[in-house]
């Protein structure tokens, strides 16, 4: 990757985070099931606090040379990216990369329809989504275990055999599937690690890494934990030497070393 530095950037405080912090009734591992699987929080955006965090990050990065930005397609990352980089003096190219999504475990990790997002962010590059059979299920195609994608797809086609599977139709079915599996997740740590390695391989091949300047990745806590790891435990895939980024934290990393 020619040793170019890359910034890893965690998304800002989201509305899901705020609801989870404000909840009174807590259950397993401090998670409120009503919040975790709340359909009102499907692909929710950032909170007012998150907007302020984004503005501070924009100030922090305004004098740094940025060639390209890779962002998760989840709305909280897209909003973060827009606030930080739309007025950046370098006007970096923004690539929306599905592999950067968060682990699929809550309603907030269920993505929006890509066609709708393309209209909201017309200057962003969404070409990585062209191969999906059902565009509204892009986040399911990105998980490693095909049986989960197949199970949800079958359920949708049985329930809605003649309808276009738009995001508003898909979200309740996916949420119910996640809820039925809880506390088991559709992605294990090893699954996340495999997706991270795939994303790194893609990033290293991008021509912007041959140029002077920095690339930025805007992603999520669990994904970035694996991304910053120097390796993984063989038995359970636990990240070794990883960094858990706080909301809005900017972290320099060189892909040549990992």
């Amino acid at each position: 990757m020619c040793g170019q530095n890359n910034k890893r950037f965690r998304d800002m405080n989201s509305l899901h985070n705020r609801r989870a912090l404000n909840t009174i009734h807590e259950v397993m591992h401090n998670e409120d099931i009503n919040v975790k699987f709340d359909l009102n929080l499907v692909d929710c955006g950032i909170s007012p606090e998150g907007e302020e965090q984004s503005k501070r990050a924009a100030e922090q990065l305004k004098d740094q040379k940025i060639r390209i930005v890779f962002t998760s397609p989840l709305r909280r990352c897209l909003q973060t990216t827009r606030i930080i980089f739309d007025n950046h003096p370098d006007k970096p190219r923004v690539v929306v990369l599905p592999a950067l999504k968060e682990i699929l475990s809550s309603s907030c990790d269920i993505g929006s329809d890509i066609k709708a997002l393309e209209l909201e962010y017309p200057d962003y590059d969404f070409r990585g989504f062209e191969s999906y059979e059902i565009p509204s299920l892009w986040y399911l195609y990105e998980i490693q275990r095909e049986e989960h994608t197949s199970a949800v797809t079958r359920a949708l086609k049985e329930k809605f055999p003649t309808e276009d599977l738009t995001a508003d139709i898909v979200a309740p079915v996916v949420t119910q599937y996640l809820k039925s599996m809880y506390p088991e997740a559709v992605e294990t740590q090893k699954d996340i690690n495999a997706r991270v390695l795939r994303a790194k391989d893609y990033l290293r091949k991008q021509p912007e890494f041959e140029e002077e300047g920095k690339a930025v990745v805007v992603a999520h806590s669990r994904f970035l934990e694996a991304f910053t790891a120097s390796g993984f435990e063989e038995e359970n895939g636990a990240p070794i030497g990883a960094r858990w980024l706080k909301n809005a934290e900017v972290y320099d990393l060189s892909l040549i070393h990992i």
Side-chain angles (χ1 to χ4, degrees):
M1 197 198 63
C2 298
Q4 294 291 344
N5 288 329
N6 297 273
K7 290 193 176 296
R8 302 292 165 252
F9 207 139
R10 183 180 168 186
D11 61 318
M12 306 305 174
N13 187 279
S14 71
L15 296 174
H16 177 274
N17 289 346
R18 172 162 285 194
R19 279 283 306 276
L21 287 172
N22 289 344
T23 190
I24 297 174
H25 177 60
E26 296 183 342
V27 291
M28 298 175 64
H29 306 296
N30 296 321
E31 289 184 313
D32 186 322
I33 301 301
N34 293 325
V35 173
K36 188 173 182 66
F37 301 115
D38 186 346
L39 286 173
N40 293 316
L41 295 175
V42 168
D43 199 18
C44 58
I46 57 177
S47 65
E49 180 183 356
E51 292 182 15
E52 292 304 313
Q53 291 171 336
S54 298
K55 292 174 183 177
R56 291 195 293 270
E59 185 68 21
Q60 182 180 351
L61 293 173
K62 68 178 183 179
D63 296 325
Q64 299 208 27
K65 192 170 189 63
I66 306 295
R67 288 287 185 183
I68 190 168
V69 177
F70 299 94
T71 181
S72 159
L74 291 174
R75 193 174 297 278
R76 53 195 185 271
C77 277
L78 290 170
Q79 290 177 347
T80 296
T81 299
R82 171 174 277 175
I83 293 172
I84 296 173
F85 296 107
D86 272 15
N87 293 315
H88 191 280
D90 291 337
K91 299 295 181 185
R93 184 165 74 96
V94 177
V95 177
V96 184
L97 189 60
L100 301 181
K101 77 175 189 68
E102 183 60 297
I103 180 175
L104 180 58
S105 64
S106 304
S107 59
C108 68
D109 305 318
I110 296 173
S112 297
D113 194 300
I114 290 304
K115 294 186 182 300
L117 292 177
E118 285 180 309
L119 294 175
E120 288 184 53
Y121 299 88
D123 296 328
Y124 292 5
D125 185 346
F126 284 88
R127 283 177 293 179
F129 298 84
E130 294 174 349
S131 62
Y132 298 129
E133 178 189 2
I134 304 173
S136 55
L137 286 178
W138 64 264
Y139 48 90
L140 274 175
Y141 292 118
E142 283 300 317
I143 64 178
Q144 298 297 310
R145 290 187 283 173
E146 188 178 340
E147 64 265 28
H148 296 304
T149 306
S150 298
V152 173
T153 302
R154 279 197 307 272
L156 284 164
K157 290 182 176 179
E158 289 173 2
K159 192 171 183 178
F160 306 102
T162 62
E163 296 182 54
D164 289 335
L165 296 177
T166 57
D168 58 332
I169 288 177
V170 166
V173 176
V174 177
T175 299
Q176 184 57 43
Y177 184 75
L178 296 177
K179 192 173 182 178
S180 70
M181 291 194 60
Y182 186 80
E184 182 184 350
V186 300
E187 288 187 281
T188 66
Q189 184 62 54
K190 288 186 176 181
D191 293 334
I192 300 172
N193 299 345
R195 181 156 52 86
V196 162
L197 294 176
R198 179 159 49 88
K200 286 182 179 180
D201 184 59
Y202 172 87
L203 294 174
R204 289 190 183 101
K205 294 176 180 177
Q206 300 312 298
E208 284 84 355
F209 285 114
E210 301 291 336
E211 303 172 2
E212 180 185 356
K214 294 184 176 181
V216 173
V217 170
V218 184
H220 310 270
S221 56
R222 289 289 300 277
F223 180 89
L224 290 172
E225 180 188 29
F227 203 106
T228 59
S230 57
F232 307 106
E233 297 284 354
E234 185 173 350
E235 182 176 353
N236 58 10
I240 300 171
R243 183 181 182 93
W244 184 268
L245 273 66
K246 301 175 183 177
N247 284 331
E249 182 176 355
V250 180
Y251 180 64
D252 276 311
L253 189 68
S254 177
L255 277 181
I256 200 168
H257 298 305
I258 57 176

